[in-house]
């Protein structure tokens, strides 16, 4: 509906892990993060569908088959995604009732600093497009036009750590 919404995600490391949802109850004005598992786990949310603001299902791809060949888990929530209960484990993902298969996903790739739009090709994902990610740069603020930066002789020496307690440097820009 126009008030409740969910976005799925996971941490990107060597293998995606620690799947989570961003949940809104106020039409997207605010979002809160809700992890799926209390302990760290490898896996990615393959698909999800909510029939109402409280009732939903999710398929988790563990990305590796267990000894018995079971790779996919299906969970259900009766709390709007705040908590999840395991329904079944299978070799193939279970269909989600009423969910339209998008067959598309957007994935961040740290190695190339890009987002990749991918479409499902059988059991695999094929890159359709990629977009550069710009996270900004940490650098000293620029001087005002016509003002020369101070020379090394004009910059005061830092105080000795013995006379002043050390303070962690801040990455925040002064306002």
């Amino acid at each position: 509906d126009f008030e409740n919404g969910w976005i799925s995600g996971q941490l990107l490391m060597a293998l995606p892990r620690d799947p989570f949802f961003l949940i809104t109850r106020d039409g997207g004005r605010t979002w809160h993060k809700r992890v799926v598992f209390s302990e760290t786990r490898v896996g990615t949310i393959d698909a999800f569908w909510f029939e109402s603001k409280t009732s939903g299902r999710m398929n988790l791809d563990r990305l590796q088959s267990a000894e018995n060949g079971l790779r996919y888990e299906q969970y259900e929530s009766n709390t709007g995604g705040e908590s999840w209960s395991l329904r079944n484990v299978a070799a193939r993902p279970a269909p989600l009732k009423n969910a339209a298969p998008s067959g598309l996903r957007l994935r961040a790739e740290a190695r190339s600093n890009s987002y990749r739009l991918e479409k499902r090709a059988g059991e695999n994902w094929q890159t359709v497009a990629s977009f550069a990610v710009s996270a900004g740069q940490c650098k000293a603020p620029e001087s005002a036009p016509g003002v020369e930066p101070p020379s090394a002789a004009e910059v005061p020496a830092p105080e000795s750590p013995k006379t002043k307690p050390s303070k962690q440097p801040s990455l925040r820009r002064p306002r």
Side-chain angles (χ1 to χ4, degrees), residues 5-170:
W6 300 265
I7 299 172
S8 68
Q10 61 275 329
L11 299 180
L12 293 177
M13 299 184 163
L15 288 173
R17 65 181 59 244
D18 302 334
F20 62 86
F21 281 93
L22 297 177
I23 302 172
T24 184
R25 302 280 183 237
D26 59 9
R29 284 187 297 279
T30 61
W31 295 83
H32 70 276
K33 182 178 178 181
R34 183 62 63 205
V35 295
V36 174
F37 305 109
S38 57
E39 73 284 349
T40 193
R41 281 196 56 195
V42 170
T44 182
I45 297 171
D46 189 51
F48 66 92
W49 176 259
F50 280 85
E51 295 177 1
S52 70
K53 66 181 183 179
T54 57
S55 177
R57 292 206 178 161
M58 160 191 64
N59 286 344
L60 180 84
D61 182 350
R62 296 190 300 192
L63 305 171
Q64 340 175 354
S65 294
E67 290 179 22
N68 52 10
L70 304 178
R71 174 176 166 173
Y72 297 93
E73 298 174 349
Q74 188 175 75
Y75 292 82
E76 72 179 347
S77 175
N78 292 313
T79 59
E82 300 291 333
S83 61
W84 295 90
S85 301
L86 181 64
R87 286 188 44 92
N88 66 34
V89 180
R92 296 190 180 279
L96 294 175
K97 181 182 173 187
N98 296 331
S102 72
L104 295 173
R105 72 178 182 185
L106 186 64
R107 184 176 63 85
E109 185 177 86
R111 189 176 70 241
S112 65
N113 288 331
S114 66
Y115 287 110
R116 296 194 175 270
L117 178 61
E118 299 175 330
K119 84 175 181 181
R120 186 178 289 281
E123 291 288 317
N124 300 315
W125 292 91
Q126 177 183 8
T127 300
V128 175
S130 66
F131 308 91
V133 176
S134 177
Q137 299 176 356
C138 291
K139 60 182 180 179
E142 295 180 18
S143 303
V147 176
E148 291 292 318
S151 67
E154 296 172 323
V155 177
E159 294 184 34
S160 165
K162 295 177 186 173
T163 60
K164 186 176 181 181
S166 66
K167 183 178 174 186
Q168 292 288 349
S170 173

